[in-house]
Amino acid sequence: MTLKNKITFLAFVLMTNCVSAQILDQSNTGTNNWYTCTTDGQIVGQSFTSGMTGNLASINLDFEIFSCTYANHYKFTTDIIDGGGYGGIVLATDTVTVAVPFTRSLLPINFSNAPSITSGNVYTIRLTPLPHQVCDSIPTPHYVCARWYESPSNTYPGGVPYLNSAVDSSNSGDKYFNTYVITGNGIFENSFMNKIAIYPNPSSNQITI
């Protein structure tokens, strides 16, 4: 094995054992059966305050979707927005497809380009359904309701729930969710071995040789 191949293998081992580690940061979970529908024309959100500096790798949402006559899957976009509310810069977007029905559980959403977040800063999760996803038509057409479950009160002091473009004043309950952060990539400074440079790329979780 050549020197460069050895270094490439070492980099792969470092990536496997260090980069992929996701740490639970924020968590608000429970068993309450209150919910808000993510549905056609209704954009649902929840802000949170990061407790770590790193890259937001994934989130979990407490979700459920009942059976539908006309839909066997449900699609929506998930945005991570800088700041509280929907007016900030969108840091990451992912389109999610969920099977219908979906039994209540924590739905994992992974971000291919994990956005950088800073400890103490506020960010907002925003769910926007794709339009015209019809569930049933009796007596008139109605759309798929993806239930995002929530607490009966303000159980998460680091954020607030949102409905469309404003704080959800009709509901004081925070949504149930988890956030997972990557805080390092295993190599924290540039290294040189026999004139071959190895350096990390935190923005895309890569090691370049």
Side-chain angles (χ1 to χ4, degrees):
M1 182 181 291
T2 66
L3 175 61
K4 185 167 184 177
N5 286 341
K6 290 180 180 179
I7 295 173
T8 301
F9 177 75
L10 174 62
F12 172 78
V13 172
L14 288 169
M15 289 284 289
T16 301
N17 290 281
C18 299
V19 176
S20 60
Q22 299 184 19
I23 302 172
L24 175 64
D25 181 17
Q26 300 302 294
S27 181
N28 184 55
T29 58
T31 58
N32 185 58
N33 60 5
W34 293 10
Y35 65 89
T36 300
C37 277
T38 300
T39 189
D40 194 87
Q42 187 156 284
I43 301 171
V44 185
Q46 171 71 44
S47 61
F48 66 92
T49 302
S50 178
M52 299 180 181
T53 295
N55 295 90
L56 181 64
S58 64
I59 59 176
N60 291 162
L61 309 178
D62 191 345
F63 243 51
E64 184 175 30
I65 306 174
F66 289 163
S67 296
C68 290
T69 301
Y70 300 115
N72 56 20
H73 63 271
Y74 178 72
K75 292 185 178 182
F76 62 94
T77 59
T78 302
D79 297 318
I80 300 299
I81 301 172
D82 190 14
Y86 300 166
I89 297 172
V90 176
L91 302 177
T93 298
D94 190 68
T95 300
V96 181
T97 301
V98 185
V100 176
F102 182 81
T103 303
R104 181 177 178 176
S105 59
L106 291 174
L107 173 70
I109 299 174
N110 300 301
F111 298 105
S112 56
N113 293 313
S116 297
I117 59 175
T118 302
S119 178
N121 286 4
V122 176
Y123 304 91
T124 301
I125 303 166
R126 177 176 65 185
L127 308 186
T128 305
L130 274 64
H132 310 308
Q133 298 182 81
V134 176
C135 179
D136 291 298
S137 60
I138 299 174
T140 59
H142 64 275
Y143 299 108
V144 178
C145 166
R147 299 183 173 197
W148 188 359
Y149 284 97
E150 59 205 27
S151 62
S153 60
N154 181 20
T155 56
Y156 178 70
V160 294
Y162 287 88
L163 182 61
N164 294 326
S165 59
V167 174
D168 189 358
S169 59
S170 65
N171 175 24
S172 61
D174 291 297
K175 301 293 181 287
Y176 288 148
F177 71 98
N178 292 325
T179 67
Y180 294 87
V181 176
I182 297 172
T183 58
N185 59 9
I187 296 179
F188 299 100
E189 58 185 39
N190 295 352
S191 302
F192 292 88
M193 296 179 64
N194 290 357
K195 298 182 180 180
I196 299 175
I198 302 177
Y199 58 92
N201 182 355
S203 64
S204 58
N205 297 323
Q206 295 178 350
I207 295 176
T208 302
I209 298 177

